[in-house]
Amino acid sequence: MMAKKISAMDIYKLLPKINCKKCGESSCMAFATKLQERKVTIDECPILKSPKFEKNRKKLEELLSPPVKEIWFGYEDKKVILGGEEVMYRYELTFFNPTAIGIDISDSLPEEEIKKRAKFVEDFVFERTGEKLKLDFIALRNASDDPERFVKALKIIQENTNMPVALCSLNVESIEKALDIVRSKPMIYGATEKNFSEMIKMLISKKRDKKEFALTLSSSNIKTLKGMVKASLEHGIEDLILDPHTTPENIMETLDKFVMIRRSAIERGDKLLGYPILGLPINTYFYVLKGNNPIKQFVEKLDKAAAIMEARTACAMLNRYADGIIIHGTEVWELMPILTLRQAIYTDPRKPQTVEPGLYPIGNPDENSPVIMTTNFSLTFYTVTGDFEKDGVVCWLLVMDTEGKAVDVAVAGGQYCGDNAKKLIEETKIEEKVNHRIIILPGLAAPVRGDIEEKTGWTCVVGTRDSSQVGEFLRKNWNKILEEWKAKQEL
Ligand code: SF4
């Protein structure tokens, strides 16, 4: 059965239809459209809170619940949110919750190492295009299989960080003891075919609210996985995560299962598979370092080979619906591609990635400094300012509102043009900051040079195609360009 696509009209039918505007929208239909796009929530319509609309509200909640259930774990003020997705492809709407990235910590490590690694996970930050990219959770691994060591390691993590935790053990006793002291809502990894009954029995006997943990169900067989979901639901355990097994030696097989699960949930409305998927790139370490594999014959530095394979596996999983992953490597060269790819996949295609248009002084510019004009596409802006900073470029950077388009696209689309340049010059009052009237344009803006000169009256010089070459260009040419321009004014 194909899952039915919800239209704004389906939603509208359940709204009060009185157009009171209390939600901030001009009509109930406008609110319905925003609900469909998940730009607002049901709570924003106060009328729906009245008992008269209780039935409709419930129907709306059901109608709007995404085909992949949204699950969270961690602290109330530091949640790791998994799932909640509605589409197979990002351009169909958007992806909502970026894949959560967890780093493992083995309970066999000495206390100082556990502390150090936990702090590393908490403090790690990598800034790209103005966004701080971080790690999301700690996956505490019961490598010792000793419940006491597991609990001790959890205490160390909790005393030293405020990070959400995944309790990773197949030993039911270890999980039981850890649950007694865990301060946050944990992800439990997990219930397998082998320990399922024992694990469920323990979780029920704990008399813990079944919403106080998220349980990972693990099986390489999707039918079995569905059976485990069904049985968990029957016991009232609803916050579930699916682990269809990660096999690094045959990553295609793993990815096929990820796609199958997601397709079944989104396109066929299979509720038993409508849960977040967990990927385990960490398995590459076990495979490369411990397994009997052909890599060992060819590679000397096995740990590096494992890290490369892990990063590759993680990236493949980000592309194919992993809602959470657990990795082992902490080298920045391994984390950077994973975090960067995640950032790219989870930007909202409905919103242009922009920075505020205006005038940005770079370095400490004065009245003789060059004026350079770029666009407000955030990736362009941060690449340009990053290159300028690296190369010691000192200039006035004019950032034009091109609706978040890069230079070549904005030139073709007509946003990078004379009229917008004129407006920008007037609004920023750049004329008062410099004693010349020269703008350096990006190489890709050469086709609109004439238009900008005509509308602004400024002299335009076409610079380099790449911002990394601007420093060199200015060192070689700026003084000459300025002198020639001044000489012309004296004629
Ligand atoms: S507050 Fe509710 S009833 Fe009023 S316009 Fe918005 S959606 Fe319609």
Side-chain angles (χ1 to χ4, degrees), residues 270-285:
D270 188 337
K271 291 219 178 296
L272 293 178
L273 292 177
Y275 293 91
I277 305 172
L278 181 71
L280 302 175
I282 187 175
N283 287 356
T284 56
Y285 272 86

Side-chain angles (χ1 to χ4, degrees), residues 196-211:
F196 186 77
S197 311
E198 205 192 337
M199 183 72 84
I200 296 287
K201 206 166 135 200
M202 178 276 288
L203 289 172
I204 293 167
S205 72
K206 288 303 280 180
K207 301 230 179 328
R208 210 179 153 95
D209 184 328
K210 295 182 188 89
K211 286 197 187 316

